[in-house]
Amino acid sequence: MSTPDFILETRGLERRFGGVRAVAGVDFKLERGELRCLIGPNGAGKSTFFKMLTGQIRPTAGQILFESQEIGGAEAHEVGRLGIGIKNQVPDVFDGLSVGENVWLAARLSHPKQRASAAAAAVLDRLNLSAIAGRLVAELAHGQRQWVEIAMVVVREPKIILLDEPSAGMSAEETSRTARLIREVNQTATIVVVEHDMLFIREIAKRVTVFHQGRIVREAAVEEIMRDPLVRDIYLGKQAA
């Protein structure tokens, strides 16, 4: 039996805000190539956990290991250079530029000038965004703006991509396309998704980690999570009915 290849791991990770332990000693392991979803009710600690992974918040205690390298004290831009792509809930795009220009600018962060155009075109084609490459981002629908930012992350060829509620505010059709897009991206990158929409999670996840009161309370296959009485009680409620 082969040894698991963990690309990301936390050990005793903790974040306190005054007397409140938002994340309370979390041990987490993510295998290379996985597509993992993090779920939990509001205030469960998953967003704080995400922000610590991405360098937006510094841990109070514990370790974050990316390919066995400690990154717990790194700034967000340093985390990005190591090969971790980050897409926050609100798209970080340039409204006054076209889709293609946005993706090209992102490509220039990781590719030499002579390769950036080809890299951008390849990602736009792969994610089925070539048809809107010439449109201004300001003119796009909400879902399209989210896809553009995902393309901007993918073009930098990260080893792992962290997505914060990528389907938030989307129509059913946009959500379904986003699920297909994420599954495609998972062919070449490990992915962690923080999400509330259980229908969306059912479409993309194989394994789900459940946060509650700053701790991981369950971690299992998505089908098992949906049947778990504790998960239904603390989080799913009517959504699981």
Side-chain angles (χ1 to χ4, degrees):
M1 188 174 179
S2 60
T3 303
D5 181 12
F6 295 118
I7 189 171
L8 185 69
E9 181 178 356
T10 71
R11 298 174 182 171
L13 194 65
E14 185 163 319
R15 175 66 196 197
R16 293 190 293 271
F17 296 99
V20 178
R21 295 175 79 196
V23 174
V26 167
D27 295 325
F28 174 83
K29 291 183 178 182
L30 181 73
E31 287 194 46
R32 193 179 304 273
E34 265 198 79
L35 198 172
R36 180 80 66 88
C37 285
L38 309 183
I39 69 171
N42 290 332
K46 61 189 185 300
S47 293
T48 301
F49 180 74
F50 179 92
K51 288 178 179 178
M52 286 193 287
L53 297 182
T54 56
Q56 297 174 73
I57 295 177
R58 287 177 178 262
T60 305
Q63 291 181 293
I64 304 171
L65 303 174
F66 173 63
E67 295 191 321
S68 301
Q69 177 181 347
E70 169 65 63
I71 63 167
E75 300 291 340
H77 68 276
E78 295 172 324
V79 170
R81 282 203 298 265
L82 289 171
I84 298 178
I86 305 162
K87 189 214 165 302
N88 291 305
Q89 188 173 345
V90 178
D92 185 14
V93 292
F94 298 100
D95 283 343
L97 299 178
S98 71
V99 170
E101 288 167 337
N102 269 270
V103 178
W104 181 87
L105 283 174
R108 284 289 288 118
L109 296 172
S110 301
H111 299 280
K113 188 174 182 179
Q114 60 270 27
R115 288 196 58 234
S117 294
V123 167
L124 288 168
D125 182 62
R126 178 185 175 193
L127 302 185
N128 295 314
L129 298 174
S130 297
I132 62 170
R135 292 184 59 187
L136 288 179
V137 169
E139 300 173 348
L140 300 179
H142 171 70
Q144 292 173 316
R145 291 167 60 86
Q146 298 280 9
W147 302 331
V148 171
E149 190 177 16
I150 292 174
M152 292 170 68
V153 174
V154 173
V155 78
R156 297 187 64 186
E157 299 179 356
K159 297 175 183 177
I160 182 171
I161 297 175
L162 307 175
L163 304 172
D164 189 10
E165 298 191 29
S167 72
M170 289 188 179
S171 67
E173 183 178 345
E174 288 174 332
T175 297
S176 182
R177 179 168 173 179
T178 300
R180 294 195 300 272
L181 185 151
I182 289 173
R183 288 196 299 268
E184 167 57 32
V185 173
N186 186 224
Q187 299 300 310
T188 54
T190 306
I191 297 178
V192 176
V193 178
V194 175
E195 188 53 77
H196 285 285
D197 185 339
M198 290 308 301
L199 293 177
F200 179 69
I201 287 170
R202 278 173 163 164
E203 283 196 64
I204 65 171
K206 292 183 179 177
R207 194 164 183 82
V208 176
T209 299
V210 184
F211 278 78
H212 184 51
Q213 298 180 344
R215 303 178 186 276
I216 292 175
V217 295
R218 289 288 188 272
E219 198 166 78
V222 63
E223 297 84 2
E224 187 176 337
I225 290 295
M226 299 300 291
R227 295 192 301 266
D228 190 293
L230 175 64
V231 175
R232 293 169 69 95
D233 287 346
I234 68 172
Y235 175 65
L236 301 178
K238 294 180 181 179
Q239 291 189 62

